Coordinates of all heavy atoms in Angstrom, one line a residue:
L38 N -19.8 11.9 -37.7 CA -19.5 10.9 -36.8 C -18.4 9.9 -37.3 O -18.3 9.8 -38.6 CB -20.7 10.0 -36.5 CG -21.8 10.7 -35.7 CD1 -23.0 9.8 -35.6 CD2 -21.4 11.1 -34.3
D39 N -17.7 9.3 -36.4 CA -16.8 8.2 -36.8 C -17.7 7.2 -37.5 O -18.8 6.8 -37.1 CB -16.2 7.6 -35.6 CG -15.2 6.5 -35.9 OD1 -15.8 5.4 -36.2 OD2 -14.0 6.7 -36.0
K40 N -17.2 6.6 -38.7 CA -18.0 5.7 -39.5 C -18.5 4.5 -38.6 O -19.6 4.0 -38.8 CB -17.3 5.3 -40.7 CG -18.0 4.3 -41.6 CD -17.2 3.9 -42.8 CE -18.1 3.0 -43.7 NZ -18.5 1.8 -43.1
D41 N -17.6 4.0 -37.8 CA -17.9 2.8 -37.0 C -19.1 3.1 -36.0 O -20.0 2.3 -35.8 CB -16.7 2.3 -36.2 CG -15.7 1.7 -37.1 OD1 -16.0 1.3 -38.2 OD2 -14.5 1.7 -36.7
I42 N -19.1 4.3 -35.5 CA -20.2 4.7 -34.6 C -21.5 4.8 -35.3 O -22.5 4.3 -34.9 CB -19.9 6.1 -33.9 CG1 -18.6 6.0 -33.1 CG2 -21.0 6.5 -33.0 CD1 -18.2 7.3 -32.4
K43 N -21.4 5.5 -36.5 CA -22.7 5.7 -37.3 C -23.2 4.3 -37.7 O -24.5 4.1 -37.6 CB -22.4 6.5 -38.5 CG -23.6 6.8 -39.4 CD -23.2 7.7 -40.5 CE -24.4 8.0 -41.4 NZ -24.1 8.9 -42.5
D44 N -22.4 3.4 -38.1 CA -22.8 2.0 -38.5 C -23.5 1.3 -37.4 O -24.5 0.6 -37.5 CB -21.7 1.2 -39.1 CG -21.2 1.7 -40.4 OD1 -21.9 2.5 -41.1 OD2 -20.1 1.3 -40.9
E45 N -22.9 1.5 -36.2 CA -23.4 0.8 -35.0 C -24.8 1.4 -34.6 O -25.7 0.6 -34.2 CB -22.4 1.0 -33.8 CG -22.9 0.3 -32.5 CD -22.9 -1.2 -32.6 OE1 -22.4 -1.8 -33.6 OE2 -23.5 -1.8 -31.7

Side-chain angles (χ1 to χ4, degrees):
L38 290 176
D39 180 280
K40 182 178 183 300
D41 291 339
I42 301 177
K43 183 175 178 179
D44 290 345
E45 181 66 10

